[in-house]
Amino acid sequence: MLKLQGCSFVDEQGRELLLRGVNLGGSSKVPLRPNGATHLPDSLSQPEKVSFIGRPFPLSAAREHFARLREWGLTFLRFVITWEAVEHAGPGMYDHAYLDYLTQVIQMAGEYDLKVLIDPHQDVWSRWTGGDGAPAWTLELLGMDISALHTASASYLHQEAGDAYGKMVWPANNGRYAAATMWTLFFGGDLFAPATTISGQPIQYLLQGHFFEAMRQVALRLRGMSHVVGFETLNEPASGYIGRCSLHEYASPLLRNGPSPTIWEGMLLASGYPQRIKLARQGIPYLFPRHVLANPEGRSLWQPGYTSVWQANGVWDTDNGAKAHILRNDHFAMANGRPVDFAQDCFHPFVRRYASGIREILPDMPIFVCPVPADHEAIRGIDLLPDDVENLVYAPHWYDGVTLSMQRYLPWLGVDYNRANIRLVLGRQRRLRTIRHTLQNLRTEAQGRNVPLLLGETGIPYNLDEGQAYLSGDYSDQINAWRDILQGVEDARLSTAFWNYTADNDNLHGDQWNGEDLSIYSSDQRSDPDDINSGGRALEGFIRPYVIATAGKLVNMNYQDSNRTLRVTIEHDPTISHLTELYVPSLQYPNGWIARASHGHIAANDSIQHLLWEHDPVKGRQTLTLASR
């Protein structure tokens, strides 16, 4: 069981918990049958007949994987499900066989003492808009022809682009027409599309209502499971067009990669007007941008009998059906006669409604709020937590942007997100300081709101340098990339969930989704079925000793990779009778370990790789040093 106490997670004994876990799993974004891997050109066919049973792995393999995660010191799962997995067949038609499977696999996780956070995962709305999450019927309700999404430049799909699909192209789909439209309707349909109704229901109410009820179906199955410790709102939601002052802007100005239409160009393309648009390239300045002709065949996104959502809501129109022109350039900037505030006007009502629906079934369930990715200067992540909802957790994500986007480990190059303008950072020590400063800022934000913080995602691409490690067996760059990240995480004393563990990861197609390959495990690296560590990648990087539970307050935790020494400082709470627990991995201490405490007594539970520290009940601040024997 887990409780929230101020800025801390605590257990039933009152000990402060440091959650260290993993997202399970990367391929849960796509169906197992038929195979939804995005490199397959036909993986978007038959959307109503898919099955996610077996994601993240078959029940027959679950115990092996759960045992491996516990061996690696991971005690927490951010468990990936999608709206599509629950309600793919049609509105209100739930996949009860999948819900049965989900119930069984999550129940089994509890047998391994794994705490579970339910993550309603999405990326750029749905698989048909370049990511995952929502069912195809959400697009079809509006009259979109899902087979035309790529051709009309309303989204950019791995299935269509094939080998030309570049690195980290998918996030830019939040700025393309289909996903941006769906997010605008989902969060702001009442404000910006009042004319759009389905069977008399406002589109915002309908979309949110179906999402909420799908997640309530999950909650109904998990009643009585005390190891289910939270429900997240939505993974990395987006604001769509909301707050943009002009149709000539980009919906996602920072996350541009590949064909990049402005809002207005995207609207024209979706209605069958060919456009010359900018072709953005990752990491290359836009001083001399290239242009491409998009939708040269003039294919409309709309099925016969349907028209553009934004034309129907008076944003633009045509002259006698020919030349298109803008009617309201600032349509998405104003709400009720004043500048729109995405947090207050759109996101907070969503969180309130979601929390209320989940808590009708699971009273007092903690709600973890993942903010919108940093692509809008007016949206500050911590501000997306409403003040009037209790038991909230701030759950942002952070990655080393250079390593992730370039898929290279450059220890002398980083990105500073802490300034008004994002800047490159040169020099190893400056880069490490920037990582530490960025993560400390997240902790400070959460402390300012007196809420706990979970770093819901961080990780590294394993296919660095075109996957050279898979040929050479040298994972030193991956190990060092992990060490840089976790040094910052530990200095800030953050609870963390790694992205990710994919049971069917392979070297050729990675996590089976949009070319990503961030799994800490791969079936292609599993050479010895009798070795529980076999299949793990760069284990020395992320398997580290750490404090699991503190009988008081964790003041400081510092691990030095060079000599495998961990130094811990705690502030003892004399009202807590249970012991402080540390994870001490045999992988890092193959010859055993030596621990010395300034006060109290130390014992070992080698069967679960734990060190137990009984504090001096009188003393306040106490220290422990752990070293290799």
Side-chain angles (χ1 to χ4, degrees), residues 561-611:
D561 293 286
S562 57
N563 57 11
R564 303 187 181 189
T565 299
L566 176 71
R567 293 180 174 85
V568 174
T569 303
I570 63 98
E571 191 74 37
H572 174 60
D573 183 344
T575 67
I576 300 174
S577 59
H578 282 67
L579 308 184
T580 290
E581 290 187 50
L582 286 77
Y583 170 65
V584 185
S586 56
L587 182 85
Q588 296 285 13
Y589 300 98
N591 300 317
W593 47 267
I594 300 171
R596 295 184 177 87
S598 62
H599 304 86
H601 305 282
I602 294 168
N605 187 338
D606 292 331
S607 63
I608 57 173
Q609 304 178 94
H610 281 197
L611 179 155

Side-chain angles (χ1 to χ4, degrees), residues 156 164 169 176 250 256-261 265 276-282 284-294:
Y156 189 73
V169 172
R176 298 187 176 103
Y250 294 94
R256 289 169 54 204
N257 194 1
S260 300
E265 289 168 342
R276 287 191 64 79
I277 62 174
K278 287 184 180 180
L279 181 65
R281 289 172 289 173
Q282 186 80 27
I284 298 178
Y286 304 128
L287 297 177
F288 305 102
R290 290 176 53 198
H291 289 75
V292 294
L293 179 63

Side-chain angles (χ1 to χ4, degrees), residues 290-350:
R290 290 176 53 198
H291 289 75
V292 294
L293 179 63
N295 196 4
E297 299 175 2
R299 183 173 179 181
S300 174
L301 177 61
W302 304 102
Q303 299 178 41
Y306 289 88
T307 188
S308 162
V309 170
W310 304 119
Q311 186 178 8
N313 281 277
V315 178
W316 65 279
D317 208 345
T318 60
D319 297 322
N320 299 320
K323 185 178 176 65
H325 60 274
I326 296 171
L327 297 177
R328 288 203 292 266
N329 189 47
D330 64 348
H331 179 76
F332 302 104
M334 305 296 291
N336 300 320
R338 58 174 175 78
V340 66
D341 183 321
F342 177 75
Q344 296 289 336
D345 297 327
C346 304
F347 199 76
H348 289 178
F350 161 77

Side-chain angles (χ1 to χ4, degrees), residues 260-574:
S260 300
T262 64
I263 297 172
W264 176 229
E265 289 168 342
M267 290 181 179
L268 293 173
L269 287 164
S271 290
Y273 294 86
Q275 300 289 305
R276 287 191 64 79
I277 62 174
K278 287 184 180 180
L279 181 65
R281 289 172 289 173
Q282 186 80 27
I284 298 178
Y286 304 128
L287 297 177
F288 305 102
R290 290 176 53 198
H291 289 75
V292 294
L293 179 63
N295 196 4
E297 299 175 2
R299 183 173 179 181
S300 174
L301 177 61
W302 304 102
Q303 299 178 41
Y306 289 88
T307 188
S308 162
V309 170
W310 304 119
Q311 186 178 8
N313 281 277
V315 178
W316 65 279
D317 208 345
T318 60
D319 297 322
N320 299 320
K323 185 178 176 65
H325 60 274
I326 296 171
L327 297 177
R328 288 203 292 266
N329 189 47
D330 64 348
H331 179 76
F332 302 104
M334 305 296 291
N336 300 320
R338 58 174 175 78
V340 66
D341 183 321
F342 177 75
Q344 296 289 336
D345 297 327
C346 304
F347 199 76
H348 289 178
F350 161 77
V351 174
R352 294 186 191 105
R353 191 177 171 196
Y354 180 76
S356 176
I358 295 298
R359 288 170 178 169
E360 285 178 2
I361 300 166
L362 301 171
D364 302 320
M365 177 61 67
I367 301 297
F368 289 61
V369 181
C370 177
V372 175
D375 196 41
H376 196 311
E377 64 274 7
I379 297 175
R380 180 168 166 262
I382 194 69
D383 293 336
L384 295 177
L385 274 68
D387 293 321
D388 55 352
V389 181
E390 297 182 348
N391 278 1
L392 293 183
V393 177
Y394 185 41
H397 300 167
W398 178 84
Y399 290 87
D400 178 353
V402 171
T403 305
L404 181 66
S405 62
M406 299 181 67
Q407 294 175 12
R408 294 184 63 193
Y409 175 61
L410 303 173
W412 47 269
L413 180 63
V415 180
D416 187 353
Y417 296 97
N418 300 302
R419 302 172 183 269
N421 297 312
I422 295 173
R423 298 183 182 181
L424 290 177
V425 174
L426 299 178
R428 175 166 176 76
Q429 292 307 313
R430 289 187 64 195
R431 171 178 169 273
L432 293 176
R433 283 196 301 271
T434 299
I435 291 174
R436 185 167 58 249
H437 183 47
T438 301
L439 296 174
Q440 288 282 5
N441 280 351
L442 293 177
R443 179 180 176 87
T444 300
E445 283 187 329
Q447 288 174 330
R449 285 291 306 275
N450 196 34
V451 295
L453 183 142
L454 169 75
L455 190 64
E457 289 184 21
T458 191
I460 64 162
Y462 277 86
N463 55 341
L464 299 177
D465 300 313
E466 308 298 330
Q468 285 299 309
Y470 305 151
L471 301 175
S472 67
D474 180 4
Y475 285 85
S476 56
D477 279 353
Q478 289 86 344
I479 290 170
N480 288 326
W482 265 122
R483 288 173 173 172
D484 293 350
I485 291 171
L486 289 178
Q487 189 68 59
V489 166
E490 290 162 357
D491 285 349
R493 306 185 302 285
L494 300 184
S495 290
T496 310
F498 305 152
W499 185 270
N500 69 86
Y501 184 104
T502 299
D504 57 341
N505 174 283
D506 61 49
N507 293 346
L508 184 59
H509 299 297
D511 301 335
Q512 313 301 317
W513 183 84
N514 285 345
E516 289 204 342
D517 190 359
L518 286 86
S519 176
I520 61 177
Y521 171 89
S522 177
S523 58
D524 278 354
Q525 269 68 62
R526 190 182 182 202
S527 57
D528 182 359
D530 296 325
D531 179 4
I532 198 168
N533 291 326
S534 186
R537 305 198 285 185
L539 296 182
E540 297 89 341
F542 67 85
I543 296 181
R544 302 156 67 89
Y546 72 98
V547 180
I548 298 172
T550 305
K553 194 77 176 172
L554 180 61
V555 176
N556 184 58
M557 181 176 69
N558 179 266
Y559 178 65
Q560 295 294 325
D561 293 286
S562 57
N563 57 11
R564 303 187 181 189
T565 299
L566 176 71
R567 293 180 174 85
V568 174
T569 303
I570 63 98
E571 191 74 37
H572 174 60
D573 183 344

Side-chain angles (χ1 to χ4, degrees), residues 10-261:
V10 298
D11 64 12
E12 291 178 295
Q13 291 77 39
R15 296 181 301 177
E16 182 183 74
L17 298 177
L18 193 64
L19 304 177
R20 181 162 292 185
V22 71
N23 284 262
L24 186 68
S27 62
S28 294
K29 299 178 179 185
V30 300
L32 186 64
R33 290 181 299 275
N35 189 347
T38 60
H39 67 274
L40 301 174
D42 61 349
S43 63
L44 294 175
S45 62
Q46 299 182 302
E48 72 284 352
K49 296 181 179 180
V50 299
S51 174
F52 284 74
I53 296 173
R55 298 296 193 199
F57 34 63
L59 284 175
S60 59
R63 295 190 183 280
E64 172 201 326
H65 293 294
F66 287 146
R68 181 175 294 113
L69 294 174
R70 284 310 310 255
E71 175 72 15
W72 292 350
L74 304 176
T75 61
F76 173 77
L77 303 178
R78 184 172 180 253
F79 198 97
V80 173
I81 64 172
T82 64
W83 180 4
E84 182 194 0
V86 179
E87 200 180 6
H88 53 82
M93 300 171 65
Y94 304 114
D95 189 335
H96 293 287
Y98 168 74
L99 291 169
D100 290 342
Y101 159 79
L102 189 67
T103 303
Q104 291 176 277
V105 74
I106 291 178
Q107 182 68 63
M108 200 178 296
E111 298 173 18
Y112 288 80
D113 200 23
L114 289 162
K115 295 176 175 62
V116 176
L117 166 66
I118 300 301
D119 164 32
H121 207 88
Q122 76 75 40
D123 296 284
V124 298
W125 186 258
S126 76
R127 290 196 293 136
W128 290 267
T129 50
D132 57 275
W137 57 258
T138 60
L139 299 151
E140 293 175 324
L141 279 177
L142 295 163
M144 292 187 191
D145 178 356
I146 59 175
S147 69
L149 285 159
H150 184 88
T151 305
S153 293
S155 58
Y156 189 73
L157 303 177
H158 191 194
Q159 292 88 342
E160 298 274 0
D163 293 340
Y165 195 79
K167 299 174 183 176
M168 290 298 294
V169 172
W170 66 263
N173 277 311
N174 266 334
R176 298 187 176 103
Y177 181 84
T181 291
M182 295 308 299
W183 283 121
T184 306
L185 298 175
F186 185 81
F187 284 123
D190 292 350
L191 296 172
F192 303 107
T196 302
T197 60
I198 307 293
S199 300
Q201 292 191 60
I203 188 62
Q204 177 181 327
Y205 181 84
L206 185 145
L207 289 173
Q208 287 194 14
H210 277 290
F211 170 71
F212 293 148
E213 190 54 40
M215 293 307 107
R216 281 167 54 87
Q217 293 295 317
V218 175
L220 285 166
R221 299 302 188 102
L222 304 182
R223 286 184 294 190
M225 296 189 192
S226 61
H227 64 288
V228 176
V229 298
F231 269 67
E232 196 167 300
T233 47
L234 259 176
N235 176 75
E236 297 185 0
S239 56
Y241 299 139
I242 299 171
R244 290 298 165 199
C245 296
S246 167
L247 300 189
H248 297 293
E249 296 182 27
Y250 294 94
S252 293
L254 300 181
L255 299 177
R256 289 169 54 204
N257 194 1
S260 300

